[in-house]
Amino acid sequence: MKDIDAIAVLQDPVRRRLYEYVVAQGREVGRNEAAEAAGVARTLAAHHLDKLTQVGLLESGSRRLTGRSGPGAGRPAKVYTRARGERSVSLPARDYRTAAELLAEAAERAGLDAELCAAARRRGEGLRGSAEPCGGLAEAMEVLAARGYEPHVEAPDGDEEAARVVRMRNCPFHAVAERFPPLVCGMNLALLEGLLGADGPVRARMDARPGECCVVLEDSKNNER
């Protein structure tokens, strides 16, 4: 029941705002920054952040936020990031993860990669329904955010106007992808191609990075220039 207890902690609105802010940054967040973002006092933010760490939803560490080192650099500050573990609740108990891993293992052993990708592409197209392909990266980000991918723009040197790549902090298939990366990542790519529309201006491609989804999006029109 530990997962239920952890998720129940998010019922507090301040605690939830703090958690969502830390998760959305994709980096270490200090107490002052989190408190300002949530609109609460630093001491209250610290209390809630430590509670989130205690139940395993966040991980904490310490580093100097000034960017300096040596004498006069100040004491290390406590920082927080999202915990790597997953939390899920099913009543009554279900074990879909084991079923998914068994099916992935069987598909990999049978060499059914192409068949799985074809099925994933059809599923993506079915989810899109009669809608036109996504008209651009902004629309694609809305679609993927609704499906839990946590998309974010990767801007060169922080220049949002120059950005042409969208990365995703979360892979909905992470647990199975860890065990069967080529099979599941290929399936994920095909699913997104179907969901976003292969004939539209948004192109999905593989570009794996630790801790993020293996698929990235880019504006195909800009690549043609």
Side-chain angles (χ1 to χ4, degrees):
M1 302 294 282
K2 289 184 178 180
D3 282 1
I4 295 179
D5 295 336
I7 294 172
V9 165
L10 295 174
Q11 185 174 358
D12 182 280
V14 173
R15 201 169 289 161
R16 182 159 186 163
R17 289 204 305 273
L18 288 165
Y19 174 76
E20 289 176 344
Y21 179 78
V22 172
V23 167
Q25 304 318 300
R27 56 173 172 77
E28 294 177 329
V29 174
R31 287 173 168 175
N32 287 341
E33 178 185 350
E36 183 177 352
V40 298
R42 182 183 183 278
T43 52
L44 180 60
H47 167 74
H48 286 308
L49 290 167
D50 286 341
K51 181 63 177 181
L52 290 165
T53 302
Q54 180 183 340
V55 299
L57 292 175
L58 296 180
E59 294 178 356
S60 64
S62 61
R63 66 176 176 87
R64 288 188 174 89
L65 299 178
T66 61
R68 303 195 305 270
S69 60
R75 297 177 58 185
K78 200 163 188 179
V79 292
Y80 303 84
T81 56
R82 175 165 53 185
R84 289 183 288 270
E86 295 182 12
R87 300 287 181 176
S88 63
V89 175
S90 177
L91 297 173
R94 297 286 188 262
D95 189 5
Y96 300 114
R97 176 173 173 175
T98 296
E101 290 178 346
L102 289 171
L103 290 168
E105 181 178 356
E108 188 173 74
R109 288 178 178 273
L112 297 176
D113 301 57
E115 288 82 356
L116 177 60
C117 286
R121 191 170 288 105
R122 289 194 299 271
R123 173 57 65 88
E125 292 169 350
L127 292 171
R128 179 161 51 90
S130 59
E132 294 294 322
C134 283
L137 291 179
E139 184 180 345
M141 289 178 70
E142 290 182 8
V143 171
L144 296 182
R147 302 196 65 82
Y149 280 89
E150 299 181 7
H152 66 99
V153 175
E154 183 177 72
D157 300 322
D159 183 1
E160 293 287 340
E161 295 300 323
R164 292 293 179 266
V165 175
V166 169
R167 292 187 177 273
M168 293 168 276
R169 293 194 176 97
N170 182 51
C171 172
F173 316 110
H174 174 73
V176 186
E178 277 195 316
R179 289 197 57 189
F180 308 96
L183 181 78
V184 178
C185 290
M187 176 200 75
N188 188 24
L189 175 61
L191 177 70
L192 294 183
E193 287 175 340
L195 179 64
L196 301 176
D199 298 329
V202 177
R203 183 172 77 98
R205 62 176 175 83
M206 290 284 197
D207 188 10
R209 176 184 288 183
E212 293 189 335
C213 178
C214 60
V215 179
V216 300
L217 308 179
E218 56 191 5
D219 192 328
S220 59
K221 292 182 178 179
N222 288 314
N223 292 328
E224 295 172 358
R225 294 175 182 174

